[in-house]
Amino acid sequence: MYEDLKGKVAMVTGGARGLGLQMATALASQGVDVALLDLLPQVSESATALAAEKGVRSIGLVTDVTSEDSLKSVTDTVVAELGTPSILVNAAGITIWGDSVDVSAAEWRKVLDVNLTGTFLTSQAFARAVFAAEGSGAIVNISSMSAIVVNIPQRQASYNVSKAGVDHLTRSLAVEWIGKGIRVNAISPGYFRSDMTKQFLETNEDLGKYWNSLVPAGRMGEPADLDGLVTFLASDVSKYIVGESVVIDGGYSIV
């Protein structure tokens, strides 16, 4: 239990389901009040269930992370209803598979807009709220091992590039904001069972077996495997860790 987390307020994008909701639940288990942000309308139901399960305050807000206006509005709501946030988890993300010769400009931009621009704009909105309150905080960006490796057999250049951008954005914001009281780090998951991967695994059983064969740990990550890392990076016990992207992939990227 990280005692310093109890009573703090977190914003978690991509929080309606999947890995985002899992990490929000991990924070709530430490006594953190959580605002779930997601484009999916079910985000309100997820927040209600989280509050009932963990005994914390939680609100669900429909949010477009690519829109400055949307982010300002929801951040103002978080401050008004829960208080100034001191934790941000940027978990919203998408992928589109396709050979690069066939990918449209619209598809390319969509992935970059959500994964990279969305991470920047949400971090910006969070930082403005923290600085206005003369507070401090921690940002945990969700990157990917795809920032440092090219996954096979799928083709996903836009996703790989977007996550490489998230890694360098993490370092850039970390250097810029550490002196102002905000630490910025990232988590880089490998192959995890999530709503993103499920859409492909349900139609291709052999793909999951192939991915498992590439991982020294012999399996894909489970959502709960992220719990310890996200709470650690959000807590003051990691206060001297700045601008890092911590890979958690069962050894995939080292072989």
Side-chain angles (χ1 to χ4, degrees), residues 8-48:
K8 288 189 174 180
V9 175
M11 295 167 52
V12 180
T13 69
R17 60 180 185 174
L19 299 184
L21 181 56
Q22 178 68 41
M23 288 182 284
T25 302
L27 291 171
S29 296
Q30 301 287 328
V32 177
D33 296 323
V34 183
L36 302 179
L37 281 53
D38 205 297
L39 199 58
L40 298 173
Q42 72 191 63
V43 68
S44 295
E45 296 175 10
S46 298
T48 299

Side-chain angles (χ1 to χ4, degrees), residues 27-218:
L27 291 171
S29 296
Q30 301 287 328
V32 177
D33 296 323
V34 183
L36 302 179
L37 281 53
D38 205 297
L39 199 58
L40 298 173
Q42 72 191 63
V43 68
S44 295
E45 296 175 10
S46 298
T48 299
L50 179 60
E53 178 186 354
K54 297 299 181 182
V56 299
R57 296 181 300 161
S58 183
I59 57 175
L61 301 169
V62 175
T63 310
D64 179 358
V65 298
T66 69
S67 165
E68 293 176 87
D69 290 342
S70 177
L71 287 165
K72 183 182 185 308
S73 176
V74 299
T75 303
D76 288 347
T77 300
V78 172
V79 172
E81 296 193 18
L82 299 180
T84 301
S86 57
I87 300 166
L88 169 63
V89 179
N90 278 310
I94 62 171
T95 186
I96 297 175
W97 288 3
D99 288 344
S100 293
V101 72
D102 299 320
V103 171
S104 69
E107 290 172 325
W108 174 271
R109 292 190 184 102
K110 183 176 181 179
V111 174
L112 270 291
D113 280 351
V114 174
N115 295 0
L116 181 53
T117 302
T119 296
F120 171 73
L121 292 177
T122 309
S123 297
Q124 184 183 60
F126 170 83
R128 286 171 174 168
V130 172
F131 295 153
E134 299 184 347
S136 60
I139 295 175
V140 182
N141 294 325
I142 305 307
S143 182
S144 171
M145 69 174 184
S146 301
I148 58 173
V149 301
V150 176
N151 310 71
I152 56 173
Q154 66 270 30
R155 303 287 188 254
Q156 53 178 34
S158 58
Y159 181 81
N160 297 347
V161 169
S162 73
K163 292 304 185 177
V166 168
D167 271 8
H168 207 55
L169 175 64
T170 297
R171 291 186 285 266
S172 299
L173 295 181
V175 170
E176 188 174 343
W177 289 346
I178 185 61
K180 298 180 179 181
I182 295 180
R183 287 186 304 111
V184 187
N185 289 290
I187 295 174
S188 292
Y191 289 123
F192 268 71
R193 297 191 182 279
S194 66
D195 290 293
M196 182 181 290
T197 57
K198 183 169 64 176
Q199 62 181 315
F200 305 113
L201 296 174
E202 286 181 343
T203 58
N204 188 347
E205 185 176 325
D206 290 337
L207 181 60
K209 294 178 181 178
Y210 179 67
W211 283 348
N212 285 341
S213 74
L214 300 176
V215 180

